[in-house]
Amino acid sequence: TPQLQTSAPHIYAAGDCCTLQQFTHYASIMGVWAARNLLLPGSTVPTHVVPRATFTAPEVASVGLTEAEAREKGYEIFSQPCSQNERAICENDQRGFIDVYLDKGGLVVGACIMNNRAGELL
């Protein structure tokens, strides 16, 4: 269920066994919410705010809506190549980009970073 409860009412699950989002960050937050629901039933996992990171070279990290979802909703997309980012320039790590997605009211609804330190930056 969205509350991480299995078909056995007294058993909750978290991690790869109950989601397609197979990221360590996601499994960790699910464990917290499964424990919360065991004690205070009824909460759903706030999937829209759980960061995701893939530890490749370079790393890819994101949170919230994807670029495709943001475009579909007509949201504004700001993109900056790392070659224009001060930290990336100082560390001679200019490969990649930083994207931020804003809704029509200017609220950040998602972001994606590809850079050697993307997981840390997000």
Side-chain angles (χ1 to χ4, degrees):
T1 68
Q3 293 78 30
L4 305 175
Q5 189 174 27
T6 66
S7 57
H10 63 290
I11 298 176
Y12 290 77
D16 294 356
C17 67
C18 58
T19 181
L20 295 176
Q21 300 288 333
Q22 297 181 342
F23 297 97
T24 54
H25 302 79
Y26 198 77
S28 176
I29 195 84
M30 288 179 78
V32 169
W33 283 87
R36 177 188 170 114
N37 279 321
L38 183 62
L39 301 171
L40 304 165
S43 300
T44 57
V45 179
T47 57
H48 64 288
V49 295
V50 179
R52 308 170 289 275
T54 304
F55 301 109
T56 54
E59 295 178 2
V60 179
S62 59
V63 66
L65 297 182
T66 65
E67 181 176 352
E69 292 168 331
R71 284 191 190 284
E72 183 177 296
K73 294 177 181 281
Y75 291 166
E76 202 161 358
I77 297 172
F78 290 94
S79 186
Q80 181 181 44
C82 286
S83 61
Q84 295 178 4
N85 178 278
E86 292 84 5
R87 179 176 178 169
I89 292 168
C90 287
E91 294 182 356
N92 196 26
D93 180 23
Q94 299 175 41
R95 180 175 54 160
F97 61 87
I98 300 171
D99 288 351
V100 178
Y101 319 127
L102 304 178
D103 69 10
K104 294 176 182 173
L107 181 69
V108 175
V109 293
C112 181
I113 302 172
M114 185 179 79
N115 172 281
N116 282 336
R117 294 176 171 242
E120 295 173 33
L121 291 172
L122 188 62

